[in-house]
Amino acid sequence: MPPVKDWFVYANRFYWLDGTHFRRWDGTKIENMGNNTASDGWHISIKTITGEAYTDVDNEFFGKISKAVSVEQRSTRWYFATTDNEIIYSDIGSPETFVNINVINITSGLADSITALHEFSGGILVFQKRSVYYLQGYDFASGSDISLDKLNVSTGCSWPKTIKTIENAVIFMG
């Protein structure tokens, strides 16, 4: 089994990412989180902005979720980070439900890639190898209170497991 890149527990189920699959364990069996054609009948729900059902066009979107390298919960929404510098966020209250346009692009201009996400002070720290961004706000629909700010740090983080919150600060190995 590939090594676990990131994990979380929600509704008495253990979810994890390994860079190729998004999986869950309910205490009795391990399931690969698939698309609507999953043989076990269980799947990630991917909708269009109009609420239409999943289509084959969404296979690429599903592939990005299954290859995510990091996930972070903020309030009742989950953020999945890909190495393609995209953050895909779930519907509120459901880590398995996505709208196929819920994507935030992090473009640093340094040919960098996202290595980790970390919740801090009501927002999400987005770590790349050479830079760090801070994503805050809730109103993604209108974008009125959303901001993505590049922090003035000398390096990013190549080792996600070193990121720790201590009192009111975040430390990590650059």
Side-chain angles (χ1 to χ4, degrees), residues 12-134:
N12 296 321
R13 292 185 177 113
F14 178 72
Y15 295 84
W16 75 95
L17 303 166
D18 63 16
T20 58
H21 294 92
F22 180 30
R23 299 178 182 192
R24 84 167 179 185
W25 179 55
D26 64 4
T28 59
K29 63 182 173 189
I30 295 173
E31 298 172 304
N32 284 335
M33 310 269 286
N35 56 24
N36 279 357
T37 60
S39 60
D40 62 6
W42 196 88
H43 57 85
I44 293 175
S45 175
I46 301 174
K47 305 178 292 186
T48 64
I49 192 67
T50 59
E52 296 169 10
Y54 174 91
T55 65
D56 288 339
V57 177
D58 295 314
N59 277 332
E60 182 181 347
F61 187 81
F62 169 73
K64 290 178 181 182
I65 296 166
S66 63
K67 292 177 183 168
V69 295
S70 178
V71 64
E72 185 70 29
Q73 180 183 3
R74 178 176 165 225
S75 188
T76 57
R77 176 169 272 159
W78 284 260
Y79 297 81
F80 295 74
T82 73
T83 55
D84 294 331
N85 293 323
E86 293 178 327
I87 298 173
I88 299 169
Y89 55 93
S90 74
D91 276 2
I92 293 173
S94 176
E96 306 124 4
T97 305
F98 303 87
V99 175
N100 64 1
I101 62 166
N102 289 1
V103 178
I104 301 168
N105 291 304
I106 311 293
T107 307
S108 65
L110 300 172
D112 214 349
S113 61
I114 296 175
T115 58
L117 300 176
H118 186 79
E119 185 177 17
F120 181 69
S121 188
I124 300 279
L125 288 167
V126 180
F127 288 90
Q128 292 184 316
K129 291 181 181 179
R130 295 179 197 86
S131 56
V132 181
Y133 291 83
Y134 187 65

